[in-house]
Amino acid sequence: MDDGWKLNVSFTDHSHSGCVKALALSDKNILASGSSDETIRLFNLGSNIEMGSLLQHQGSITAIAFHGGLHMFSCSEDGTICIWKASSWECIKTLRGHKGPVRSISVHPSGKLALSIGGDKTLRTWNLITGRAAFVTNLKTAADLVKWSPDGSTYAVVTDKNVSIYQVETASVSYKIQCNFRIHCIDYIQSGMLALGGEGGTVELYNLVKQEKCLEYSTNTNRIKGMSCLHCQHDTNDRHFVVTASSDGMLKVWDTNITNCGAQLVAEVDTKFRLTCLTVSPKKHVKHKEATRVSADNKEIISHTTKNKYIDVKDKDLKLKTSKRKSENSDVPNKRLKPKKTKHSQLKPKKSTFKGNTELTSVKKSKKGKRKRKVSKD
């Protein structure tokens, strides 16, 4: 392990009353967390301010995705997908069609299409321009995850121990991957390279062009619950980082060489929590720091990764976010985000009686023209 890397906790937050199941970060540095308490919490990571909560779903939040800094997508066990305007945080559209819980959602890089996986054994393609379902694919078994490639030419569908790679041009399966373990998380290192993680703590990398496994290594953990990949350019060298979060509380950063098929552990930390999910976001023009964000079932922990040596990353630096469940022997400092009232016209701040938090009220019009308010409850 490279001794020049270190992971330190920055702050924790106690907003959610249930297990955190989803995390996502926008291009404008807004973190959204979804929980089994049916709420979505918003945080401004630039100013370390809790912006409030969104109430629209009638079930646990299962997945959240941003497209740029303009729109946010959330899906839930209530079978709906909500599209949020990221400036006013108004729910501008609710997509309905799944007859069971929506398990995963992925937005095409163009922002014109979205794919969703449901417990009703369907893969639905959504036209985001019209706001309607464009196509429904019936699956033999209910899938768990769906993910677009960075260039939008392929997408991956995960079902238990299997991964199916679909080509957009032919609308058919071009490659099938079968693993010896249950897959919990996937991410594209680049358009032609897919990373898998799950039970047993093993990471496998597959070359989708050559249709072969190119790298396999163990993280020495029991179960990988979250994984994200990041591509950085350092001088003339390309560096690929794979970040893993496991159920035993270990958060690890791997410097992965896809050319020579090798991986080196550069940083790790025992969070003393049971991690449930993770997300990584690139941050441009940062030379010394990298930030790690961790969320718990009722806490969110933001950590910063500092490299003692000078590193000039011209394109992107590293930002991590994970989600965890607290264990009994946790020594994480209990620092809270400072609440602040929002200035958005569509979101009216209301003071909460719970430790002075500020909450956002989602406003929508009824059929009669009257305004109805949904206020989050703590």
Side-chain angles (χ1 to χ4, degrees), residues 104-106 115 117 143-150 154-166 177 179 181-190 193-199 202-206 208 224-230 242-245 277-280:
S104 179
I105 187 170
S106 184
L115 295 173
I117 289 291
D144 303 310
L145 298 169
V146 62
K147 183 78 174 180
W148 280 105
S149 63
T154 64
Y155 59 90
V157 177
V158 177
T159 305
D160 195 18
K161 299 180 180 180
N162 304 310
V163 182
S164 299
I165 306 299
Y166 288 79
I177 301 172
C179 299
F181 55 86
R182 181 177 176 83
I183 302 169
H184 293 302
C185 48
I186 62 171
D187 199 10
Y188 280 88
I189 293 183
Q190 55 189 27
M193 190 75 64
L194 183 67
L196 313 175
E199 294 290 336
T202 300
V203 175
E204 295 184 354
L205 272 64
Y206 287 85
L208 304 182
I224 299 176
K225 290 293 291 182
M227 179 175 60
S228 292
C229 304
L230 182 66
V242 176
V243 188
T244 59
C277 59
L278 172 144
T279 185
V280 174

Side-chain angles (χ1 to χ4, degrees), residues 93 217 240 317:
K93 184 69 177 180
Y217 59 90
H240 299 271
D317 228 337

Side-chain angles (χ1 to χ4, degrees), residues 97-287:
H98 284 287
K99 297 180 181 179
V102 186
R103 296 180 175 180
S104 179
I105 187 170
S106 184
V107 184
H108 191 271
S110 66
K112 298 179 181 180
L113 295 173
L115 295 173
S116 63
I117 289 291
D120 55 358
K121 301 180 181 181
T122 61
L123 167 66
R124 293 181 180 265
T125 304
W126 302 91
N127 186 331
L128 299 181
I129 298 177
T130 61
R132 296 181 179 182
F135 194 74
V136 179
T137 303
N138 294 317
L139 306 175
K140 293 182 179 179
T141 57
D144 303 310
L145 298 169
V146 62
K147 183 78 174 180
W148 280 105
S149 63
D151 62 1
S153 61
T154 64
Y155 59 90
V157 177
V158 177
T159 305
D160 195 18
K161 299 180 180 180
N162 304 310
V163 182
S164 299
I165 306 299
Y166 288 79
Q167 289 285 344
V168 175
E169 292 183 357
T170 60
S172 61
V173 177
S174 61
Y175 182 34
K176 287 188 177 182
I177 301 172
Q178 186 172 5
C179 299
N180 297 324
F181 55 86
R182 181 177 176 83
I183 302 169
H184 293 302
C185 48
I186 62 171
D187 199 10
Y188 280 88
I189 293 183
Q190 55 189 27
S191 292
M193 190 75 64
L194 183 67
L196 313 175
E199 294 290 336
T202 300
V203 175
E204 295 184 354
L205 272 64
Y206 287 85
N207 189 320
L208 304 182
V209 178
K210 297 181 179 180
Q211 297 189 357
E212 63 181 11
K213 184 196 299 185
C214 60
L215 180 60
E216 178 181 352
Y217 59 90
S218 175
T219 61
N220 296 319
T221 58
N222 60 350
R223 183 187 301 107
I224 299 176
K225 290 293 291 182
M227 179 175 60
S228 292
C229 304
L230 182 66
H231 175 213
C232 298
Q233 287 184 342
H234 179 214
D235 295 334
T236 58
N237 298 324
D238 289 344
R239 302 184 69 182
H240 299 271
F241 294 95
V242 176
V243 188
T244 59
S246 57
S247 296
D248 56 7
M250 295 303 299
L251 180 65
K252 299 187 178 185
V253 182
W254 303 84
D255 189 353
T256 305
N257 190 327
I258 60 176
T259 303
N260 298 327
C261 297
Q264 179 185 6
L265 180 64
V266 296
E268 66 176 342
V269 64
D270 188 357
T271 62
K272 308 295 183 182
F273 286 84
R274 181 181 177 185
L275 305 183
T276 57
C277 59
L278 172 144
T279 185
V280 174
S281 172
K283 186 177 181 181
K284 297 182 179 180
H285 310 303
V286 179
K287 295 183 178 180

Side-chain angles (χ1 to χ4, degrees), residues 79-92:
T80 64
I81 301 170
C82 291
I83 305 176
W84 304 83
K85 190 175 181 180
S87 56
S88 61
W89 299 109
E90 176 187 5
C91 181
I92 58 177

